[in-house]
């Protein structure tokens, strides 16, 4: 067992070499047989392919010649006097057509119609009296010579016998020609139905010489690639056949190819296209001649097998000779390998054999001795280098981690970052830079930042910037740059100069933030502040002028009223004068209201608390608003509940202002009915001394959305 293990290829270089040489020899044998078989297959394919092509051309030519003869016959007969002359009886014409059909067995039926499409004469008296006015052969035959493609028989299918060796229904090819009398007038159409069984006989005659070479099939297709003449396995069909040879033949090519067919078999196929003959224009039939590749290339396969059987014995003999030669070559190497194995196991007493030869074996022995001598001295150095390498690996891992972190910060920073070399050429940018400027990385790499200049800053600005960079190593400030779209935008820019070990600047790193939004916000706030200050100043000036201009005449009116009151007046005149004074006071209060609105907006309004009589307040409201309600013929009422205290403390002027505004609104939006002001102290508010003033009217009221807006 141990001896057998010694000769295994995994443990013996001699066995591996012999095995390699043997496998190479066997592989060469297989390669030789494959090459011979391949070349033979190609030669057979070329020879048989040409044969298939020639057979397809022969079949297409036979079909064209046969169709040409029938085409010419129908044309000649249509011009004969026995057919053209109306004086010839129908019986004589019948006899002539029967004689023509019996002379040429290709015809299944020959018939003659009148000018309206009614059959007046037919061989074997078939179809006489039938109308064919809608048939294509009649319609096209009236205009000139016509050839129709293969089709199933319609009227004749049940009248004519089925061909014995054709399993498919009777199929015909129509050939028709117009019949004119001596004056050139159309008197009818002559039609010959050519039996497609004729094509079977042509195919059978062409395939007879090929029987000794295996099974060969001939197929005929129409120009629509439907099978007209098929095989038992692939009968006639209206579905188009989609294989490369059919497509090539449709393009007018005549050649051969090896291809896969729908039955999942590979065939050697020759193909040709029928193009007509002489005056016969042809129907574009496609002819395919095929043979399965197994039969077509059988001879090449047998040659490949014989080549392999002959080469294998020579490979075995070569293997034996290789064993003998290799055994002699590797014997010294085996001895050296044994000593090397002992050294590997720690046996330093093993002696390396002396090999005085100058070949590779002697060089190996001397090199092995030198190697053993230097191994010990290198062992200590190796341990030291190993420790240093481990330290370097740890340091490299830390550096790589820092670089990855820096790269993530660089790419994900919301600030635009651009790095240039000492010549100011851009070498790297981050995503934020591309987003803000609108450029792509390909457009900016290799360029200088000057491509972003907007022209807002002059040359002196940039000179100061670069002077600061050279002297201080950094610069920051506001810069206006230009995006790819041409838009100029402000940014806050910080530039730092990075120096190399030699103290020279190697790179510039710039970080910037787009401050367009900040600038716009600052500008909007400044503009709003200026507008508010202007509006407030205009309003203050207006209120000051209005107060002065309106108070002067009002003071005169009130003074004249007081002088008038000192004269002797009737009771009615005193009542009118009292109302005038109340109205004048009301107008002064309105002036004060306008000033109060200004104070409210500025937060400077203060209430003037004082004692007042509730009954006097309500009387003044009735005196002021009563005449206004009377103009609109409204009932205006002022009611004070008996339990309501009359002596109150508060800002009576503000209270009067509020009540008059509410009553005025009630009168304004009431067309009929009444407006009522009521004063009461509610039970739950007795202890707190809260008085409720209520203004009610019968007007349209206030919509819910306006209530929410006015009373929030």
């Amino acid at each position: 067992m141990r001896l057998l293990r010694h000769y295994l290829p995994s443990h013996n270089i001699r066995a591996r070499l012999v095995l390699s040489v043997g496998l190479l020899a066997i592989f060469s044998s297989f390669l030789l047989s494959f090459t011979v078989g391949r070349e033979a297959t190609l030669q057979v394919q070329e020879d048989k392919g040409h044969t298939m092509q020639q057979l397809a051309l022969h079949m297409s030519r036979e079909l064209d010649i046969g169709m040409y003869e029938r085409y010419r016959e129908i044309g000649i007969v249509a011009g004969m006097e026995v057919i053209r002359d109306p004086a010839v009886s129908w019986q004589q014409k019948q006899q002539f057509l029967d004689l023509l059909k019996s002379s040429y067995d290709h015809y299944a039926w020959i018939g003659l119609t009148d000018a309206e499409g009614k059959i007046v004469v037919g061989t074997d008296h078939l179809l006489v009296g039938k109308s064919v006015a809608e048939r294509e052969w009649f319609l096209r035959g009236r205009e000139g010579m016509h050839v129709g493609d293969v089709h199933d028989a319609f009227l004749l299918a049940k009248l004519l016998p089925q061909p014995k060796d054709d399993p498919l229904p009777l199929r015909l090819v129509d050939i028709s020609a117009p019949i004119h009398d001596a004056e050139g007038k159309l008197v009818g159409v002559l039609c010959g139905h050519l039996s497609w069984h004729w094509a079977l006989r042509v195919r059978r005659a062409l395939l007879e010489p090929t029987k000794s070479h295996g099974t060969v099939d001939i197929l005929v297709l129409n120009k629509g690639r439907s099978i007209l003449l098929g095989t038992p396995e692939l009968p006639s069909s209206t579905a188009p056949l989609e294989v490369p040879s059919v497509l090539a033949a449709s393009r007018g090519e005549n050649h051969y190819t090896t291809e896969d067919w729908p039955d999942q078999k590979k065939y050697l196929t020759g193909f040709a296209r029928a193009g007509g003959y002489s005056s016969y224009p042809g129907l574009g039939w496609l002819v395919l001649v095929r043979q399965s590749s197994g039969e077509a290339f059988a001879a090449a396969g047998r040659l490949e097998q014989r080549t392999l059987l002959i080469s294998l014995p020579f490979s075995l003999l070569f293997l034996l000779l290789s064993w003998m030669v290799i055994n002699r070559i590797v014997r010294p190497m085996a001895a050296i390998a044994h000593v090397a194995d002992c050294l590997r196991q720690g046996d330093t007493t093993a002696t390396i054999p002396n090999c005085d030869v100058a070949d590779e074996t002697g060089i190996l022995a001397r090199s092995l001795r030198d190697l053993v001598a230097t191994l010990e001295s290198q062992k200590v150095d190796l341990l030291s280098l190993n420790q240093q390498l481990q330290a370097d690996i740890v340091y490299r891992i830390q550096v790589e981690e820092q670089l990855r972190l820096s790269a993530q910060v660089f790419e994900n920073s919301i600030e635009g970052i651009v790095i240039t070399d000492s010549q100011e050429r851009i070498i790297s940018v981050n995503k934020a830079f591309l987003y803000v400027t609108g450029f792509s990385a390909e457009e900016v790499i290799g360029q200088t930042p000057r491509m972003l200049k907007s022209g807002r800053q002059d040359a002196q600005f940039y000179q100061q910037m670069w002077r600061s960079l050279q002297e201080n190593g950094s610069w920051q400030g506001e810069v206006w740059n230009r995006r790819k779209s041409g838009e100029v935008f402000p940014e806050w820019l910080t530039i730092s100069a990075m120096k190399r070990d030699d103290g020279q600047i190697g790179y510039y790193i710039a970080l910037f933030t787009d401050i367009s939004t900040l600038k716009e916000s600052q500008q909007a706030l400044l503009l709003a502040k200026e507008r508010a200050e202007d509006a407030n100043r205009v309003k203050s000036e207006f209120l000051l002028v209005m107060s002065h201009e309106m108070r002067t005449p009002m003071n005169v009116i009130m003074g004249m009223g007081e002088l008038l009151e000192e004269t002797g007046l009737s009771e009615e005149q005193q009542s009118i004068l009292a109302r005038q004074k109340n109205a004048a006071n009301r107008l002064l209060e309105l002036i004060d209201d306008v000033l109060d609105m200004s104070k409210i907006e500025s937060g400077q309004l203060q209430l003037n608390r004082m004692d007042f009589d509730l009954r006097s307040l309500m009387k003044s409201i009735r005196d002021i608003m009563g005449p206004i309600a009377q103009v609109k013929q409204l009932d205006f009422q002022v009611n004070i509940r008996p339990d309501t205290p009359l002596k109150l403390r508060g800002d009576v002027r503000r209270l009067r202002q509020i009540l008059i505004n509410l009553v005025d609104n009630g009168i304004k939006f009431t067309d009929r009915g009444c407006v009522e002001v009521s004063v009461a102290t509610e039970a739950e508010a007795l202890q707190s001394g809260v008085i409720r003033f209520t203004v009610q009217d019968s007007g349209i009221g206030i919509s819910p959305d306006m209530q929410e807006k006015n009373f929030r």
Side-chain angles (χ1 to χ4, degrees):
M1 189 68 181
R2 186 175 181 182
L3 181 62
L4 179 62
R5 181 174 177 271
H6 177 70
Y7 285 98
L8 288 176
S10 59
H11 296 79
N12 192 290
I13 188 174
R14 182 187 301 109
R16 286 199 297 273
L17 289 173
V18 173
L19 180 61
S20 301
V21 173
L23 291 176
L24 181 61
I26 296 174
F27 173 76
S28 301
S29 300
F30 279 104
L31 182 61
L32 176 62
S33 61
F34 173 78
T35 303
V36 171
R38 177 64 179 170
E39 292 297 326
T41 300
L42 294 176
Q43 186 62 44
V44 169
Q45 178 179 356
E46 183 178 358
D47 295 341
K48 283 206 168 186
H50 283 296
T51 301
M52 298 291 184
Q53 177 188 354
Q54 292 301 318
L55 191 57
L57 288 170
H58 195 180
M59 179 68 179
S60 64
R61 184 174 180 81
E62 288 294 325
L63 292 176
D64 281 340
I65 292 175
M67 288 297 298
Y68 163 70
E69 292 174 350
R70 308 289 84 76
Y71 182 84
R72 185 183 61 176
E73 290 169 1
I74 294 298
I76 293 174
V77 171
M80 297 178 66
E81 290 298 325
V82 68
I83 298 298
R84 296 177 55 195
D85 191 356
V88 179
S89 67
W90 297 118
Q91 185 177 4
Q92 290 177 314
K93 295 180 180 182
Q94 176 76 47
Q95 293 174 354
F96 178 78
L97 293 182
D98 287 338
L99 178 62
L100 177 64
K101 177 177 177 296
S102 62
S103 301
Y104 300 99
D105 60 351
H106 298 303
Y107 292 106
W109 178 84
I110 305 174
L112 177 65
T113 73
D114 58 15
E116 286 72 30
K118 181 179 179 181
I119 298 178
V120 295
V121 175
T123 56
D124 299 325
H125 300 283
L126 298 178
L127 304 182
V128 176
K130 300 289 184 180
S131 175
V132 292
E134 300 298 327
R135 297 297 173 86
E136 184 180 10
W137 64 262
F138 172 76
L139 297 174
R140 301 287 292 275
R142 295 177 59 182
E143 301 173 358
M145 290 293 296
H146 165 69
V147 181
D149 212 335
V150 180
H151 64 87
D152 293 337
F154 298 104
L155 299 176
L156 295 173
K158 298 180 180 180
L159 302 177
L160 295 176
Q162 175 71 21
K164 296 180 181 180
D165 52 356
D166 189 357
L168 298 176
L170 179 64
R171 290 171 293 167
L172 305 173
V173 179
D174 301 332
I175 304 176
S176 58
I179 303 173
H180 299 90
D181 59 11
E183 297 177 357
K185 179 181 178 182
L186 177 70
V187 297
V189 175
L190 177 66
C191 177
H193 286 329
L194 182 63
S195 174
W196 186 238
H197 183 65
W198 150 76
L200 291 173
R201 293 198 297 269
V202 174
R203 180 175 70 176
R204 190 180 302 114
L206 291 177
L207 290 178
E208 186 66 27
T210 67
K211 290 184 177 179
S212 60
H213 300 287
T215 303
V216 178
D217 298 326
I218 297 180
L219 295 89
V220 180
L221 289 74
N222 62 17
K223 61 183 178 181
R225 302 197 294 275
S226 299
I227 299 177
L228 303 177
L229 185 62
T231 66
E233 296 80 11
L234 194 64
S236 301
S237 172
T238 58
L241 182 62
E242 302 289 347
V243 293
S245 58
V246 173
L247 300 178
S250 300
R251 296 191 296 267
E253 300 178 12
N254 302 322
H255 209 262
Y256 65 89
T257 185
T258 302
E259 60 188 1
D260 294 321
W261 278 60
D263 59 359
Q264 308 302 319
K265 294 182 180 179
K266 188 179 290 294
Y267 290 89
L268 177 62
T269 308
F271 51 88
R273 180 179 180 179
Y277 183 80
S278 186
S279 60
Y280 164 61
L283 293 173
W285 289 337
L286 311 177
V287 180
L288 307 180
V289 181
R290 71 174 191 176
Q291 186 177 30
S292 66
S293 58
E295 287 186 300
F297 306 138
R302 291 191 295 270
L303 177 61
E304 182 178 354
Q305 293 175 358
R306 287 196 297 269
T307 304
L308 180 61
L309 292 176
I310 293 173
S311 61
L312 280 177
F314 287 97
S315 299
L316 295 176
L317 179 61
F318 182 75
L319 181 62
L320 179 61
L321 294 175
S322 299
W323 173 267
M324 297 173 61
V325 174
I326 292 173
N327 186 49
R328 182 178 182 84
I329 294 173
V330 303
R331 188 179 295 116
M333 296 178 62
I336 296 174
H338 174 70
V339 173
D341 186 61
C342 293
L343 293 173
R344 180 185 62 82
Q345 297 178 5
D347 184 7
T348 57
T349 60
T351 304
I352 299 174
N354 292 322
C355 295
D356 297 332
V357 294
D359 59 7
E360 289 81 357
T361 303
I363 296 174
L364 177 61
R366 292 189 293 272
S367 298
L368 185 59
R369 283 196 297 269
D370 296 338
L371 178 62
V372 171
T374 56
L375 279 177
E376 290 298 328
S377 62
Q378 292 179 350
K379 185 176 181 180
V380 176
D381 297 338
L382 182 60
L383 291 175
S384 176
L385 291 174
N386 186 41
Q387 294 176 353
Q388 183 178 356
L389 179 61
Q390 290 179 353
D392 291 343
I393 291 174
V394 172
Y395 175 73
R396 184 180 295 273
I397 292 174
Q398 294 175 348
V399 172
E400 290 178 352
E401 183 64 26
Q402 293 177 355
L403 289 175
R404 280 194 297 270
L405 180 60
S406 300
Q408 292 179 359
V409 171
F410 177 79
E411 282 299 323
N412 299 320
S413 174
I414 62 174
E415 293 185 321
I417 303 176
V418 57
I419 302 176
T420 71
D421 59 15
S422 59
Q423 303 300 318
E424 304 176 30
R425 290 186 297 267
I426 298 175
I427 60 176
S428 181
V429 294
N430 69 344
K431 295 178 181 177
F433 175 91
L434 303 178
Y435 175 78
V436 172
T437 63
F439 288 97
S440 65
E442 292 76 9
E443 291 173 322
V444 298
I445 299 299
Q447 303 295 326
T448 66
R450 286 189 292 275
M451 66 183 295
L452 303 175
K453 290 178 61 176
S454 64
R456 289 278 186 98
Q457 283 87 13
D458 55 14
Q460 183 179 2
F461 173 84
Y462 290 101
Q463 290 173 1
Q464 293 176 353
M465 174 194 296
W466 288 110
R467 188 181 305 113
S468 176
L469 278 174
Q470 298 296 327
E471 296 175 356
N472 305 323
S474 64
W475 179 90
Q476 66 176 0
E478 181 180 314
V479 177
W480 287 82
N481 275 336
R482 189 182 303 275
R483 307 184 203 273
K484 181 181 178 180
S485 62
E487 177 189 357
V488 177
F489 68 99
E491 65 181 40
W492 185 259
L493 177 63
T494 301
I495 307 176
S496 299
M498 307 299 293
K499 295 184 178 181
R500 298 191 297 262
D501 294 338
D502 57 1
Q504 298 298 320
I505 295 177
Y507 304 96
Y508 294 101
I509 300 178
L511 290 82
F512 68 88
T513 302
D514 185 353
I515 57 173
S516 300
T517 304
L518 179 60
K519 283 284 186 179
E520 293 172 359
S521 300
Q522 291 176 347
Q523 187 66 26
L525 287 175
L526 181 59
L527 181 60
K529 180 176 178 295
E530 292 176 353
R531 289 179 178 175
E533 291 175 349
D534 292 341
N536 190 48
R537 184 176 62 257
V538 171
K539 181 184 68 175
S540 298
E541 293 174 355
F542 169 75
L543 292 177
L544 180 61
V545 173
M546 183 190 71
S547 174
H548 175 74
E549 295 296 332
M550 294 183 68
R551 280 182 180 275
T552 300
M554 285 305 303
N555 289 331
V556 174
I557 293 172
M558 292 182 68
M560 293 302 294
E562 291 177 356
L563 293 175
L564 184 60
E565 189 177 11
E566 296 177 356
T567 64
L569 298 175
S570 65
E571 184 177 350
E572 182 181 359
Q573 290 174 337
Q574 289 179 356
S575 176
I576 294 173
L577 182 59
R579 292 181 182 179
Q580 182 268 337
K581 290 175 63 178
N582 287 335
N585 288 327
R586 173 58 183 154
L587 186 56
L588 286 175
E589 289 178 356
L590 287 176
I591 296 173
D592 292 337
D593 289 344
V594 174
L595 295 174
D596 289 344
M597 289 299 297
S598 177
K599 293 179 180 180
I600 291 173
E601 292 178 356
S602 61
Q604 299 177 357
L605 180 64
Q606 295 181 355
L607 295 178
N608 185 15
R609 298 181 182 273
M610 59 183 297
D611 296 331
F612 67 93
D613 182 69
L614 177 61
R615 194 179 290 109
S616 299
L617 171 64
M618 302 308 293
K619 181 179 181 300
S620 65
I621 293 176
R622 183 174 56 247
D623 293 341
I624 295 173
M625 304 306 299
I628 300 176
Q630 189 176 5
V631 171
K632 296 187 68 176
Q633 296 181 353
L634 299 176
D635 183 16
F636 180 62
Q637 299 179 5
V638 177
N639 298 318
I640 303 175
R641 283 182 56 174
D643 58 348
T644 304
L646 299 178
K647 299 300 181 179
L648 303 176
R649 184 174 180 81
D651 193 335
V652 65
R653 190 171 67 84
R654 308 295 183 199
L655 181 57
R656 181 185 294 108
Q657 176 185 359
I658 294 172
L659 292 175
I660 289 176
N661 285 338
L662 293 176
V663 172
D664 183 62
N665 286 336
I667 294 173
K668 183 187 300 182
F669 296 103
T670 302
D671 295 329
R672 68 173 64 90
C674 68
V675 178
E676 179 184 1
V677 182
S678 59
V679 185
T681 304
E682 295 187 354
E684 60 271 15
L686 286 175
Q687 296 181 354
S688 62
V690 176
I691 307 300
R692 178 182 295 274
F693 293 85
T694 304
V695 178
Q696 293 180 326
D697 62 72
S698 57
I700 60 175
I702 304 176
S703 62
D705 56 339
M706 292 302 295
Q707 291 180 16
E708 181 180 358
K709 179 178 180 182
N710 294 333
F711 302 108
R712 15 175 218 186

